[in-house]
Structure formats: structure tokens, C-alpha cells
């Protein structure tokens, strides 16, 4: 649609039970029942291309919430309780990486970087995307509590070109992780607020 609300294009493609979206350099990615739909535009012409999983995926293991580094074409999404989907938009390829524990959040910088998964043990884990091999683990970063506050946002993993950031709401702290150095905790930022929501700005 244009700014006045007039429809200007309608690519001949369908997305059954859409859930989740991401904006990449290649176009907009929408999560669908059978995989993803990549919608792109060139010289004013819109196209839509299906990127199927290539296998039957139960509804509870579908990719419905994407995370990625700004400017990257590699997306992550939980794949059920103990796995993460990695979608390489450039190669139109899905990879399912099994995790050692239940997934709270995931992200990756793409381009050969590890898959970063915050798991229910409170630690950040690193995985090799190509092989699925578990490569590194931090000490627990999240402060444990008997009960999560009602309506509290889940923790996230924000990623830039060299560092990752994890928010500990209960401990009022944000961790900076060097994911190229065996997930070394480079710094921690103590706050006077609970960082329930976190977004990265700058480079």
C-alpha cells in the first residue's frame, strides 16, 4: 500500500497462519505454517518467494518470533522448547539447532558467528550453526527468583558486530558478552531500574 492507502501490488503468494516478521536487506520475512515468505521489491516491482522448512514441523515448533543483528540476513527463532531455527535468507536455507536446555532467547550476528542461546539455567550458550556443536557457556547471568512478575517481558539477546547484550531484569543489570572470545563477559552495567525492555542504538 502507498501512503494514501491505495494498494499498489499483490504478489501471487500465500502465507498460511502468518506469525512473526523481520526486515532484512533481502526484504521482509514473514513466518508461515510451512516455513517463511520473503517479500522483496526491485525497481518498484514486488515479488514473494516461499522458503519452506523442507520437512513437516509441528505447530509448537514453528518459527513465530524472529531475532537478528541489524543489517544481517541470518534470522533466529525458537523451535519448540529445546531447539532454535536459523534462517539464512541469502541462501534460502533453514537449520535447526538442538540446545542443551529450554530456550529463553536466541540471536546471532550471522556471517560465521555462533548461535547465542540464553537457556533456562540462566547462562548464555554458544553453538556452531553448521554442525550444531555446543561450543561455549557463561556462568549463570540471570538472577533467580521464586516467581517471575506477572506481565514481565522475557529477557533478550541483542547483538552487534562484536558484542552481545543480555538483560537481567531481577538483578537490575545488563551484561556485555564478547561472543568471539568463548563468550567472555566483557562488562556488566548495574542499573537503578529493572531492564525489562532493552533495545540497542548506535553502531
Amino acid at each position: 500500500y502507498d501512503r494514501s492507502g491505495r494498494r499498489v501490488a499483490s504478489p501471487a503468494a500465500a502465507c498460511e497462519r502468518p506469525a512473526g516478521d523481520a526486515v532484512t536487506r533481502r526484504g521482509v520475512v514473514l513466518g508461515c505454517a510451512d516455513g517463511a515468505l520473503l517479500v522483496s521489491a526491485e525497481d518498484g516491482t514486488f515479488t514473494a518467494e516461499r522458503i519452506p522448512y523442507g520437512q513437516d514441523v509441528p505447530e509448537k515448533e514453528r518459527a513465530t518470533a524472529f531475532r537478528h543483528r541489524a543489517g544481517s540476513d541470518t534470522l533466529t527463532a525458537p523451535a519448540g522448547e529445546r531447539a532454535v531455527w536459523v534462517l539464512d535468507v541469502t541462501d534460502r536455507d533453514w537449520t535447526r539447532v538442538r540446545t542443551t536446555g529450554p530456550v529463553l532467547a536466541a540471536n546471532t550476528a550471522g556471517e560465521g558467528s555462533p548461535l547465542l542461546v540464553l537457556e533456562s539455567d540462566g547462562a548464555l550458550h554458544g553453538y556452531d550453526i553448521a554442525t550444531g556443536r555446543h561450543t561455549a557457556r557463561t556462568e549463570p547471568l540471570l538472577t533467580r527468583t521464586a516467581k517471575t512478575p506477572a506481565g514481565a517481558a522475557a529477557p533478550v539477546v541483542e547483538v552487534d558486530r562484536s558484542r552481545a547484550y543480555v538483560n537481567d531484569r531481577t538483578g537490575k543489570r545488563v551484561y556485555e558478552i564478547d561472543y568471539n572470545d568463548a563468550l567472555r563477559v566483557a562488562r556488566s552495567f548495574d542499573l537503578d531500574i529493572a531492564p525489562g525492555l532493552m533495545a540497542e542504538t548506535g553502531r
Side-chain angles (χ1 to χ4, degrees):
Y1 292 86
D2 64 15
R3 293 180 182 274
S4 66
R6 181 176 61 91
R7 187 169 67 178
V8 296
S10 184
C15 180
E16 185 179 351
R17 299 199 300 276
D21 60 86
V23 178
T24 75
R25 293 174 298 181
R26 306 287 175 180
V28 175
V29 175
L30 304 173
C32 308
D34 62 349
L37 190 69
L38 173 63
V39 181
S40 55
E42 185 173 353
D43 297 329
T45 300
F46 286 83
T47 59
E49 179 182 353
R50 291 178 56 248
I51 308 177
Y53 289 120
Q55 59 183 286
D56 291 331
V57 176
E59 186 170 0
K60 65 179 182 179
E61 297 179 5
R62 287 176 47 202
T64 59
F66 297 105
R67 302 283 299 184
H68 68 303
R69 175 180 62 80
S72 170
D73 292 328
T74 305
L75 310 181
T76 65
E81 187 175 279
R82 290 175 177 261
V84 174
W85 285 113
V86 180
L87 172 58
D88 186 325
V89 180
T90 301
D91 292 340
R92 315 293 200 264
D93 182 58
W94 291 94
T95 301
R96 190 173 188 268
V97 178
R98 286 189 165 275
T99 59
T100 58
V103 177
L104 299 180
N107 210 333
T108 183
E111 301 171 358
S113 296
L115 171 65
L116 305 175
V117 184
L118 186 64
E119 300 184 14
S120 61
D121 60 359
L124 187 68
H125 296 252
Y127 296 87
D128 181 276
I129 295 173
T131 65
R133 184 172 62 91
H134 186 263
T135 58
R137 175 187 181 276
T138 68
E139 293 299 315
L141 303 178
L142 303 184
T143 303
R144 295 193 176 276
T145 59
K147 183 178 180 181
T148 301
V156 298
V157 180
E158 290 284 353
V159 178
D160 65 19
R161 291 183 179 274
S162 61
R163 299 295 168 96
Y165 299 87
V166 175
N167 58 322
D168 175 16
R169 176 191 177 95
T170 303
K172 296 184 177 181
R173 186 177 294 110
V174 172
Y175 292 95
E176 180 182 81
I177 311 295
D178 185 347
Y179 56 78
N180 291 313
D181 187 14
L183 303 188
R184 176 177 60 86
V185 177
R187 291 187 293 176
S188 63
F189 304 93
D190 293 321
L191 309 172
D192 58 3
I193 60 170
L197 297 173
M198 183 173 69
E200 185 184 359
T201 63
R203 66 190 177 94

